[in-house]
Amino acid sequence: MPIRPALCIAALCIAAPVVSAQVLVDDMRACAMMEEEHGLLDFASEGGLILDPYGFNSMELYCLFSPELTFNWDSYQVSTHMGQCEYPGPDYEPKLFTFVMSNEEPGVVKLYDGSDEPTRFYSCAN
């Protein structure tokens, strides 16, 4: 695994209780796993995705956003970000991501990347 994703995951594991409001996951069961010593690392190693303002990652994928993502559920918000995604190998792929947040679903971020269905991320703080 490349150094940058490994360091990001390690930092998330150490700081998970402190940053949980700014870390979202694609599966709600990760919220309970955050309480464990290596919970986010275990979640990522199982293929779970972890989203923060800088990008999202798992053990096999890391995407860095430009500009950074701002979490805000006060109203309906749509923002588009360029992503530089790194896969094992290392292989790189530029991608365009659109994020939707709404006060109707506080703590939920929908990620549109051209797939049939959006990927949903959940805040464990809400």
Side-chain angles (χ1 to χ4, degrees):
M1 173 179 10
I3 300 277
R4 177 176 238 158
L7 291 175
C8 291
I9 290 172
L12 285 174
C13 292
I14 292 168
V18 176
V19 298
S20 61
Q22 291 296 307
V23 173
L24 288 84
V25 292
D26 70 335
D27 188 335
M28 291 294 291
R29 66 187 176 87
C31 296
M33 293 175 78
M34 278 189 194
E35 313 250 341
E36 300 169 16
E37 183 177 352
H38 301 290
L40 276 181
L41 183 60
D42 292 341
F43 176 69
S45 68
E46 294 172 4
L49 293 175
I50 302 164
L51 173 70
D52 66 31
Y54 310 102
F56 66 89
N57 64 62
S58 71
M59 282 300 202
E60 299 292 324
L61 168 69
Y62 178 75
C63 291
L64 179 67
F65 302 144
S66 179
E68 293 176 10
L69 180 62
T70 302
F71 300 121
N72 182 354
W73 293 277
D74 292 339
S75 62
Y76 187 80
Q77 175 181 308
V78 177
S79 61
T80 300
H81 304 257
M82 185 64 191
Q84 175 184 321
C85 299
E86 183 178 346
Y87 300 91
D91 287 325
Y92 297 93
E93 179 181 7
K95 285 191 155 195
L96 194 60
F97 299 106
T98 298
F99 295 91
V100 176
M101 291 168 251
S102 167
N103 57 354
E104 294 178 8
E105 290 186 280
V108 174
V109 174
K110 294 179 189 172
L111 163 67
Y112 293 87
D113 63 359
S115 301
D116 290 338
E117 294 292 322
T119 301
R120 297 172 66 92
F121 289 93
Y122 307 93
S123 170
C124 295
N126 291 8

